[in-house]
Amino acid sequence: MKEKSNNLKIFLNGLITENPTFVQLLGMCPTLAVTTSLKNGIGMGLSATAVLIASNALISLLRKIIPDKVRIAAYIVIIAAFVTIIEMLLNAYLPSLAASLGIFIPLIVVNCIILARAESFASKNTVGKSIIDGLGMGLGFTVALSIISGIREFFGAGTLFDIKIYADIITPPSIIIMAPGGFIVLGIIVAAINYITSKRKAGDN
Amino acid sequence: MSMVSIIITALFTQNFLMVKFMGICPFLGVSKKIDTAAGMGMAVTFVMAVASAITYFANLLLGESMQYLQTIVFILIIAGLVQFVEMFVKKMLPSLYSALGIYLPLITTNCAVLGVALLNVQNGFNFIQSVMYGTFAALGFTMVIVIFAGIRENIEEKYVPQSFQGMPIALITAGLMSIAFMGFSGFSI
């Protein structure tokens, strides 16, 4: 029973309390670059989640074998191998998604979230826990990307999942799906989260 | 592409930070002071220029048949280079070393470095074009991170609503700078 609640805690830690995007502000490049549409955001989130789970599991399995001095290089090679697999799978089965994510699929290798979890969690915990951590963090990343890309697609293009919502009635301000919109929307979301947490803290006292 | 158009593209129209969203982590992380930002920019410039040159030859060696090894080989080359830069800075510029802190080894995971190596291959650049593109993309990175650090130093002293303090105001500043860079879009030689 205790084990179960512990696992749930690890999962929720990644999903909410230490959300990699909104709380830790890791992996900013894909967060800003691919969130122009909901489909891209979810696609990137799930690809990164798959890599994260697989790399966490393998690194945790090998944690006693990998020498301490070369661990970062070893982690990067493991992560790069999984990213290559994902890249091949996407190219084969989802070519349109692969085309719209473009160079940001191989760049999952340098997503700080994955290396950070390898270093701070998978290298110290059992395989089972590492997989749950990977799942929690990965879904936390996916949810964050979905929120950002949903807001940007809705306000910037007037569509959701490429289905027109109000794009025919008024012209949406397309700057929101361009580069500046990414920075500004994320800035406002983080500010809103800061506001909510500070209100909560004030309520506690 | 001609040399001039590569330079203009790398510095302005396709600026890595403002248009392509590559290298955002150090951009937000080490942009509190102009000195540190400039030091980071120089370290990244060196790594990107040398990485562009080495990965060009690595890609020739890989050829068509081993294309799938590209990501793994490139990231290992970059990790080795960053290790070298880290040892050099630690020995020669200890004050910069302590100011950059964790962000120096993290140049390995700077998207801009792997990104430029992959873009060189994607664009089919020859050796000189690759090195030029890598160098000028990195100079574009340095230029933007130094300007941004200057703006952030000024914001420090101004009133900012509590919820917007720290990262949110930095992101919005970056957004406004990015609007300025949109002025270059469609500009071609």
Side-chain angles (χ1 to χ4, degrees):
Chain A
M1 191 64 202
K2 202 180 166 217
E3 185 66 13
K4 216 174 201 175
S5 68
N6 211 356
N7 283 346
L8 188 69
K9 209 171 149 193
I10 294 173
F11 179 71
L12 288 180
N13 184 41
L15 196 58
I16 300 161
T17 359
E18 282 192 30
N19 187 293
T21 308
F22 290 146
V23 182
Q24 302 186 60
L25 292 165
L26 289 175
M28 283 293 114
C29 301
T31 308
L32 293 165
V34 303
T35 51
T36 48
S37 74
L38 198 49
K39 206 177 74 191
N40 283 356
I42 293 175
M44 170 51 89
L46 292 181
S47 316
T49 308
V51 175
L52 188 51
I53 294 171
S55 70
N56 257 9
L58 189 61
I59 287 166
S60 166
L61 264 177
L62 298 175
R63 69 184 185 280
K64 284 176 188 139
I65 305 168
I66 297 174
D68 206 40
K69 275 189 182 155
V70 294
R71 63 181 198 288
I72 300 288
Y75 297 161
I76 285 189
V77 174
I78 292 171
I79 295 166
F82 283 117
V83 170
T84 308
I85 297 172
I86 293 286
E87 191 183 359
M88 287 170 160
L89 287 174
L90 283 178
N91 276 330
Y93 294 105
L94 297 164
S96 68
L97 182 66
S100 59
L101 292 179
I103 194 169
F104 282 93
I105 303 174
L107 286 183
I108 296 176
V109 179
V110 286
N111 188 325
C112 327
I113 299 170
I114 299 174
L115 196 62
R117 289 332 282 170
E119 170 78 6
S120 66
F121 198 93
S123 61
K124 296 182 190 105
N125 288 285
T126 57
V127 180
K129 276 187 185 157
S130 301
I131 292 176
I132 295 170
D133 178 73
L135 188 67
M137 284 287 166
L139 290 182
F141 181 60
T142 312
V143 168
L145 287 195
S146 315
I147 294 173
I148 301 170
S149 54
I151 293 175
R152 284 181 72 187
E153 192 183 350
F154 184 77
F155 290 106
T159 59
L160 276 179
F161 282 116
D162 296 332
I163 299 163
K164 280 184 183 166
I165 310 269
Y166 68 89
D168 293 332
I169 308 161
I170 38 172
T171 319
S174 60
I175 192 161
I176 294 177
I177 56 167
M178 288 195 258
F183 284 116
I184 292 170
V185 168
L186 184 63
I188 292 171
I189 294 175
V190 176
I193 290 172
N194 283 351
Y195 180 76
I196 295 166
T197 33
S198 69
K199 281 275 151 175
R200 261 219 197 128
K201 267 186 199 149
D204 285 345
N205 292 335
Chain B
M1 272 214 259
S2 73
M3 284 301 142
V4 180
S5 103
I6 287 182
I7 293 172
I8 301 283
T9 311
L11 277 179
F12 300 110
T13 51
Q14 292 290 319
N15 185 285
F16 266 42
L17 283 170
M18 297 280 92
V19 183
K20 278 185 152 1
F21 286 130
M22 286 181 186
I24 302 291
C25 290
F27 175 64
L28 295 172
V30 280
S31 54
K32 286 204 175 116
K33 285 214 176 74
I34 294 181
D35 303 352
T36 351
M40 184 67 178
M42 283 189 295
V44 169
T45 306
F46 176 77
V47 174
M48 274 170 77
V50 180
S52 296
I54 301 180
T55 52
Y56 175 78
F57 290 113
N59 192 51
L60 281 187
L61 284 176
L62 284 177
E64 285 276 304
S65 56
M66 289 198 285
Q67 200 75 44
Y68 62 93
L69 283 176
Q70 206 181 53
T71 317
I72 302 180
V73 170
F74 284 9
I75 194 74
L76 274 176
I77 291 171
I78 292 165
L81 259 178
V82 172
Q83 189 77 50
F84 173 75
V85 171
E86 193 185 346
M87 291 190 309
F88 179 81
V89 174
K90 194 176 184 179
K91 183 99 179 148
M92 307 302 280
L93 306 158
S95 61
L96 182 64
Y97 181 77
S98 55
L100 291 175
I102 181 73
Y103 285 95
L104 193 57
L106 280 184
I107 296 178
T108 308
T109 56
N110 182 339
C111 321
V113 184
L114 183 60
V116 83
L118 293 168
L119 282 175
N120 280 334
V121 175
Q122 239 175 45
N123 292 339
F125 285 159
N126 64 28
F127 179 70
I128 295 173
Q129 284 173 325
S130 299
V131 175
M132 290 287 272
Y133 188 64
T135 313
F136 280 94
L139 289 177
F141 174 92
T142 311
M143 172 182 74
V144 172
I145 198 172
V146 169
I147 297 172
F148 185 60
I151 299 176
R152 277 186 86 174
E153 276 187 4
N154 277 304
I155 290 177
E156 284 282 283
E157 295 151 18
K158 305 290 186 300
Y159 169 75
V160 175
Q162 207 204 341
S163 312
F164 277 90
Q165 276 167 18
M167 212 37 94
I169 192 71
L171 283 165
I172 288 170
T173 311
L176 296 178
M177 279 175 72
S178 179
I179 293 179
F181 269 82
M182 276 177 70
F184 293 113
S185 65
F187 183 78
S188 62
I189 292 177

